[in-house]
Structures are given as C-alpha cells and as structure tokens.
C-alpha cells in the first residue's frame, strides 16, 4: 500500500462522515439508511460498508467528529494550584459554550427524540461526550479535595452537581426551543451563580454534611 492510499482512505472516510452527518440532521436517525447515504455520496452501499459496518457505527463516527470539533470543555486546562472559583468559572463557561453550539444542540435533539426506539443512541452520546467531561471534572475535583481546597466528598457526585447547575438554565431552555441561544454575558452570569451555589455546598470549611 502506498503512502497516498491511507490519505485517500482518510479523505473518503471524512466525506462519508460528513454526508452521514447531513443525512442524520435532515432525516433523523430512524429514517436515515445506509443506501441513502451511499446515494448522496454517489457510490455503492458495498463501498460504504468497507468503512462502516452498520448505521450505528456510522452515527458513532458522527458523534466522535462533533465532539472532537466542538468539545472545548474536554481540552480546557484545569490547573490544580489555581483559585477553584476561577477554574470552575472557566470550566462552566467552556461546558456551556460547547453544549449550546447549534451543532451539539441538534445532536442532542436527535438522540432525545429517537432514544426511545434506539436506546443505544443515548448511551453512545453519553459515553463519547458527557461522560468524558464528567470524568475530567471528577478527577479535578478529587484533587482539590485531597489538597483541602474543597471539602471531602464523593467527587463523582460533586461533578454531577456542578455540571447540572451549569446546565439548568440556557441549555435546557434552548434545547427545547425556548428562545435564541444565550449570549456570552448571559452564560457568564449563569455560570457565576452555579459556581457560587456549588462552593456554598463544597467549600472546605463546611462542617455540616448533607443528609
């Protein structure tokens, strides 16, 4: 195999994923077929199957491509020795900036709308996106607890709490079509309140544990 052959395969694979993304966004998961994607590409379904063995595998590739392109929260540096409030503010802004992107909102809508018939879609989006962000947040929170910057608690639950606080405003409203995407000042205000609420519950000098 020449050096050009892998490059051609990569280029072809990217074209297939792009065509599949367009088809899923246009027709939804249930109504999209491998034959239809092949027709959009001007090739055969047999050729498509040499790259992806199923529609589910192709949808996973679309999710991976979107997460890689727009997953700012998965690339944000989380310093161990910085001010926790400042790091949480930056993390919250990154989370909301990521999940409020039109491309990510559209992906969530497809999964939410069709996961009743195709439960594997919800698990797929969780495994490839949200869980990765949750694990990063959990690991950072655990280090902060070990250093005495936050009170000792279940870091995994604390990560759920923080991410949930960040998502409780603009994200769900926009996901359900309740108005235009929030601007940066609105997002910053929502994250600031989320950080304040989180630190009230997890500050290092909190002696009373939740029941």
């Amino acid at each position: 195999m020449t050096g050009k052959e892998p490059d051609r395969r990569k280029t072809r694979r990217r074209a297939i994923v792009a065509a599949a993304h367009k088809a899923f966004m246009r027709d939804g998961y249930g109504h999209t077929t491998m034959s239809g994607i092949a027709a959009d590409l001007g090739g055969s379904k047999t050729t498509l199957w040499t790259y992806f063995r199923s529609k589910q595998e192709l949808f996973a590739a679309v999710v991976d491509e979107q997460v890689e392109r727009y997953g700012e929260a998965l690339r944000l540096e989380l310093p161990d020795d910085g001010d926790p409030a400042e790091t949480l503010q930056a993390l919250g802004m990154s989370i909301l900036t990521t999940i409020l992107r039109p491309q990510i909102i559209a992906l969530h809508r497809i999964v939410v709308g069709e996961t009743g018939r195709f439960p594997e879609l919800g698990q797929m989006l969780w495994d490839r996106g949200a869980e990765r962000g949750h694990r990063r947040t959990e690991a950072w929170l655990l280090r902060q607890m070990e250093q005495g910057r936050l009170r000792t608690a279940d870091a995994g639950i604390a990560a759920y709490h923080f991410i949930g606080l960040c998502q409780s405003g603009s994200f769900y409203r926009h996901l359900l079509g309740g108005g235009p995407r929030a601007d940066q000042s609105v997002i910053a205000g929502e994250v600031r309140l989320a950080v304040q609420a989180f630190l009230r519950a997890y500050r290092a000098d909190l002696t009373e544990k939740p029941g």
Side-chain angles (χ1 to χ4, degrees):
M1 181 179 292
T2 67
K4 292 183 179 180
E5 182 62 23
D7 291 339
R8 281 197 293 267
R9 284 191 61 83
K10 289 179 182 178
T11 299
R12 184 61 173 169
R13 189 182 189 279
R14 285 196 295 268
I16 291 171
V17 172
H21 177 260
K22 183 177 179 179
F24 287 130
M25 295 301 111
R26 181 187 65 224
D27 302 324
Y29 184 82
H31 292 292
T32 297
T33 64
M34 296 289 274
S35 297
I37 294 171
D40 288 342
L41 286 163
S44 69
K45 188 165 64 173
T46 301
T47 300
L48 185 59
W49 277 340
T50 64
Y51 290 85
F52 299 97
R53 295 169 293 179
S54 66
K55 182 170 71 170
Q56 182 178 337
E57 185 177 305
L58 184 49
F59 188 80
V62 169
V63 172
D64 288 342
E65 192 273 338
Q66 293 295 291
V67 170
E68 179 64 27
R69 179 176 294 187
Y70 300 114
E72 290 95 337
L74 298 176
R75 296 186 289 271
L76 179 72
E77 183 179 357
L78 301 176
D80 290 341
D81 56 354
D83 178 64
E86 292 180 0
T87 302
L88 287 169
Q89 181 71 25
L91 177 59
M93 288 293 295
S94 184
I95 290 171
L96 278 185
T97 298
T98 296
I99 64 177
L100 281 171
R101 287 186 178 277
Q103 299 87 348
I104 302 301
I105 287 288
L107 195 59
H108 275 88
R109 285 174 177 165
I110 285 179
V111 171
V112 170
E114 303 209 42
T115 196
R117 291 186 298 156
F118 305 102
E120 66 273 12
L121 298 186
Q123 188 64 49
M124 185 187 301
L125 186 59
W126 169 255
D127 291 343
R128 290 172 138 77
E131 186 180 29
R132 292 172 60 193
H134 176 267
R135 288 199 304 265
R136 288 193 78 231
T137 304
E138 177 184 3
W140 180 80
L141 289 173
L142 179 60
R143 294 193 296 271
Q144 296 300 298
M145 292 172 184
E146 291 171 344
Q147 294 173 10
R149 295 172 179 269
L150 297 174
R151 71 173 179 84
T152 301
D154 186 317
I157 297 299
Y160 282 129
H161 287 165
F162 178 68
I163 295 170
L165 286 167
C166 291
Q167 293 178 341
S168 62
S170 294
F171 172 64
Y172 286 113
R173 185 170 62 250
H174 190 53
L175 180 66
L176 298 175
R181 181 177 183 270
D183 61 29
Q184 287 296 297
S185 63
V186 171
I187 293 173
E190 290 183 358
V191 173
R192 192 174 303 111
L193 291 175
V195 171
Q196 291 172 0
F198 180 83
L199 290 179
R200 287 191 188 104
Y202 287 96
R203 66 180 187 268
D205 61 347
L206 187 67
T207 57
E208 180 183 355
K209 296 184 179 180

